[in-house]
Amino acid sequence: MLTSLGLIFLTGMALGWVCRRLRLPGLLGMMGAGILLGPCVLNLLDDSILNISADLRQIALIIILTRAGLSLNLDDLKKVGRPAVLLCFVPASFEIVGIVLLAPPLLGVSYLEAAVMGSVLAAVSPAVIVPKMLRLMEEKRGTAKSIPQMLLAGASVDDVFVIVLFTSFMGLEQGNEVSPLTLLQIPVSIVTGIAAGLGIGLLLALYFKKVHIRDSLKVLILLSISFILVSQQDAIGAYVPFSGLLAVMSMGVAVQKKREPAAVRLSVKYSKLWAAAEVLLFVLVGATVDLQYVASAGLAAIALIFGALLFRMAGVLCCLLRTPLQKRERLFCTVAYMPKATVQAAIGGLPLAAGLSCGHLVLTVAVLAILITAPLGAFGIDLLYRRCLRDDSEAAPHTS
């Protein structure tokens, strides 16, 4: 395993650097490193690390979501209000509808199989969006209108909504009954996750105020509690629907609200952790790619992905109706809200593992969606943000 970790970091950083030199997103090189090292090409990664790949990717996601919480100012988010809430479910719903309409004629699947496929593809990737939005917040791009804060918050809740729908559609496809109570899991899991995270975060803020310990130990405490919250999500969910990832982010928000100076320092610590976690996440996502699946997908699957993105963009534009955003700012939001990676890598293979007839096709399209939208969205954000978003750091002196 140690050799595999060494190869992951060295190759991932090297190819990420090459891509950045070519003005391409670094994650494209990291995913390429995963494909190169993975079972389909050189097969240099030990089975032991591939077996815990999902857990390692989840750790990386926990790190970036905690950092997001520590950096997210609720007062800024309140300025946006309605659009931030709508972004949590409207674009994903539009995309699922698009796939249900497009997949049967393009791929020859049933409408229910298309719904399963849509619920896999519709989740946006916080692992791509969150670090990009944090950078925009640091550079104060679009922050006066809370654009990065809005996208950051929406991407964090979007996954909960989509995963619950995926579970429901999978149950229907397997012949299980899905009651209206199943759909109630979506708002309940969001509310309980946020409430638990805020409660724990407030207690931690009080503890950090009363007990003076090094920031490194604070990070260790936050990480440990985050691991427990996410790992116990299913156990808690047996009694009440619960989102561990939302709890993790909300915990960071509460610490930021009550202990802002400490939150700023902790965010810097987490950004250093993310430097390693980012490489690990995207290399391991690349290692899940099966090139035979990609080759067998054909142009129809690619057409489906781009068609679904058009539906998703329409959903984003609907969320931004009656907002003060200019046309170029709305364009940026539609592009920034397209990347997919984490959820697709995590659940794309579940229909195949469950023995569904559409499983192979769902996994194929999920892999293609990662390869197309993750670099495309990241590249689009890097290309457009200077052109579309106002530099509020320069605007500030003129308003004083």
Side-chain angles (χ1 to χ4, degrees), residues 146-396:
S146 301
I147 293 172
Q149 296 94 319
M150 173 181 68
L151 296 174
L152 188 155
S156 303
V157 180
D158 170 280
D159 291 355
V160 178
F161 172 71
V162 170
I163 288 172
V164 173
L165 286 183
F166 169 74
T167 304
S168 302
F169 291 139
M170 277 281 288
L172 287 173
E173 180 64 17
Q174 291 174 309
N176 300 328
E177 292 186 4
V178 177
S179 67
L181 290 175
T182 305
L183 297 180
L184 276 177
Q185 292 179 9
I186 298 171
V188 173
S189 62
I190 290 172
V191 170
T192 55
I194 291 175
L198 290 177
I200 295 171
L202 291 174
L203 290 175
L204 284 175
L206 181 62
Y207 175 74
F208 294 156
K209 181 179 181 180
K210 298 290 185 183
V211 181
H212 296 284
I213 57 176
R214 295 169 55 187
D215 288 337
S216 300
L217 294 178
K218 293 175 183 175
V219 168
L220 191 57
I221 291 171
L222 283 169
L223 275 176
S224 300
I225 295 174
S226 299
F227 293 162
I228 293 171
L229 285 171
V230 173
S231 64
Q232 295 302 309
Q233 175 175 300
D234 292 336
I236 298 171
Y239 303 98
V240 60
F242 177 76
S243 170
L245 290 176
L246 266 184
V248 167
M249 183 173 172
S250 302
M251 182 172 62
V253 170
V255 173
Q256 191 272 344
K257 185 71 174 176
K258 292 298 181 180
R259 297 287 294 163
E260 186 173 356
V264 171
R265 298 195 305 271
L266 292 174
S267 181
V268 172
K269 296 280 187 182
Y270 267 92
S271 67
K272 294 176 181 178
L273 285 176
W274 175 244
E278 180 185 31
V279 178
L280 195 62
L281 174 64
F282 288 110
V283 172
L284 289 176
V285 166
T288 67
V289 172
D290 190 320
L291 295 179
Q292 289 183 340
Y293 289 161
V294 174
S296 67
L299 294 177
I302 297 174
L304 173 66
I305 291 167
F306 280 104
L309 285 178
L310 292 178
F311 275 85
R312 182 176 195 86
M313 290 178 173
V316 173
L317 291 175
C318 285
C319 296
L320 301 179
L321 291 174
R322 300 176 64 185
T323 65
L325 300 190
Q326 298 176 358
K327 288 183 179 179
R328 66 175 185 270
E329 293 169 331
R330 298 180 189 218
L331 170 65
F332 173 81
C333 291
T334 60
V335 173
Y337 218 57
M338 73 163 64
K340 306 170 188 302
T342 322
V343 173
Q344 289 72 28
I347 68 175
L350 294 184
L352 181 62
L356 299 188
S357 58
C358 63
H360 188 283
L361 188 58
V362 170
L363 179 59
T364 301
V365 179
V367 168
L368 265 177
I370 294 172
L371 291 176
I372 292 171
T373 65
L376 188 63
F379 180 74
I381 292 170
D382 291 341
L383 181 68
L384 293 176
Y385 83 92
R386 293 183 185 276
R387 294 175 173 86
C388 296
L389 301 184
R390 182 180 177 182
D391 186 349
D392 297 315
S393 65
E394 294 180 359

Side-chain angles (χ1 to χ4, degrees), residues 8-33 275 278-279 283:
I8 285 171
F9 286 116
L10 290 175
T11 310
M13 288 189 295
L15 294 186
W17 177 83
V18 169
C19 283
R20 284 190 290 270
R21 293 288 291 179
L22 296 173
R23 297 187 180 277
L24 295 171
L27 68 88
L28 184 59
M30 296 172 198
M31 290 176 63
E278 180 185 31
V279 178
V283 172

Side-chain angles (χ1 to χ4, degrees), residues 66-91:
T66 308
R67 185 186 169 204
L70 291 168
S71 304
L72 184 61
N73 191 314
L74 289 180
D75 294 332
D76 290 338
L77 195 57
K78 287 176 184 176
K79 297 177 186 176
V80 188
R82 176 183 56 85
V85 174
L86 293 178
L87 282 172
C88 297
F89 64 93
V90 171

Side-chain angles (χ1 to χ4, degrees), residues 36-90:
L36 183 66
L37 296 172
C40 288
V41 184
L42 298 179
N43 195 24
L44 294 178
L45 297 182
D46 193 87
D47 287 342
S48 59
I49 201 164
L50 294 176
N51 291 336
I52 61 169
S53 172
D55 294 319
L56 293 174
R57 295 199 305 268
Q58 199 165 51
I59 289 172
L61 190 57
I62 286 170
I63 289 171
I64 194 59
L65 285 178
T66 308
R67 185 186 169 204
L70 291 168
S71 304
L72 184 61
N73 191 314
L74 289 180
D75 294 332
D76 290 338
L77 195 57
K78 287 176 184 176
K79 297 177 186 176
V80 188
R82 176 183 56 85
V85 174
L86 293 178
L87 282 172
C88 297
F89 64 93
V90 171

